[in-house]
Each structure stands twice: as structure tokens, then as C-alpha cells.
Amino acid sequence: QVQLAESGGGLVQPGESLRLVCTVSGRAFDRDTMGWFRQAPGKNREFVAAISWLESVTTYADSVSGRFTISRDNAKNTTYLQMNRLQIEDTAVYSCAIAEIFITRSANDYRYWGQGTQVTVSS
């Protein structure tokens, strides 16, 4: 059974940083694309970032580009989302997900999902 577990969320002030961690069990994910998505209250889920298994190609939503960095450690079955210069608009539940195709931004392409971790940015 494939399971994804996110951690690292919390309450921070604008301008501060957080690092989210997603650990995968039940599957060797070294050939999967890993993605992060977020959903704020009353809004649709939106793509945040993704990283491929091959050469670690990355892609970001425009709203986080330059502030967020996605990375992965295949030996640990773990992917990370380093979030710097957080803004109030970044407040959301962040979820990681697995896609079995080469890097994609579409949620429909992701087969396995974690439960999410809350990130709240507030002054």
C-alpha cells in the first residue's frame, strides 16, 4: 500500500520560512514525478511545484517561483519543499503527490496523494 506522509507545516509570520517534507512508503519512487499542491479555504487546489525522477527537472507555479525550492532524496524516498519569504497568500493545506509520468503540473496526472499539512502565514 502506497502512503505519503507530509510534515513540516505550521504557523509563521510573513517573510519567514518553512520546509515541508513528504515521505513515501510502500513504493520505490525513484522513477516517479513528485509534486506539491495546495488548497486554500474556498479555493480550488492549485499546483505549486514538481520534480522529475530523471535529472531532477523542476517546474514551479509563477506565484512561488524564486521563493520555493523542491528537491528529492531518492535514497530516503523523500521529497522536500523549501518555502522562503512566505506570504499571507501562501496559507493553505499543502499536499504531496506521485505521478507516474515525466513531470507534469496537472493534478489529474497524479495517482497517489498525501493527507496534507497546514501552512498558515499570519502577522
Side-chain angles (χ1 to χ4, degrees):
Q1 181 179 1
V2 179
Q3 292 186 320
L4 290 75
E6 301 97 336
S7 61
L11 172 62
V12 297
Q13 295 186 342
E16 294 185 338
S17 299
L18 281 174
R19 187 179 78 155
L20 304 184
V21 181
C22 172
T23 301
V24 178
S25 60
R27 178 184 180 95
F29 83 158
D30 57 313
R31 291 188 176 270
D32 294 326
T33 288
M34 297 300 300
W36 286 95
F37 291 79
R38 67 186 182 186
Q39 187 166 18
K43 295 188 177 181
N44 293 328
R45 180 169 56 194
E46 66 172 343
F47 169 78
V48 176
I51 184 167
S52 72
W53 65 268
L54 180 62
E55 298 181 345
S56 292
V57 174
T58 58
T59 185
Y60 297 91
D62 289 345
S63 59
V64 307
S65 182
R67 298 187 298 122
F68 291 11
T69 302
I70 188 171
S71 61
R72 64 191 294 162
D73 184 337
N74 289 341
K76 296 181 178 179
N77 267 21
T78 300
T79 187
Y80 307 93
L81 185 68
Q82 177 66 42
M83 306 186 296
N84 297 330
R85 304 197 310 276
L86 281 161
Q87 303 169 355
I88 291 176
E89 296 75 27
D90 296 318
T91 295
V93 174
Y94 285 71
S95 300
C96 62
I98 292 174
E100 297 172 316
I101 64 174
F102 185 73
I103 200 160
T104 173
R105 294 185 172 205
S106 173
N108 291 334
D109 292 329
Y110 287 81
R111 179 177 180 184
Y112 302 102
W113 291 81
Q115 293 296 311
T117 184
Q118 177 70 48
V119 171
T120 302
V121 185
S122 175
S123 56

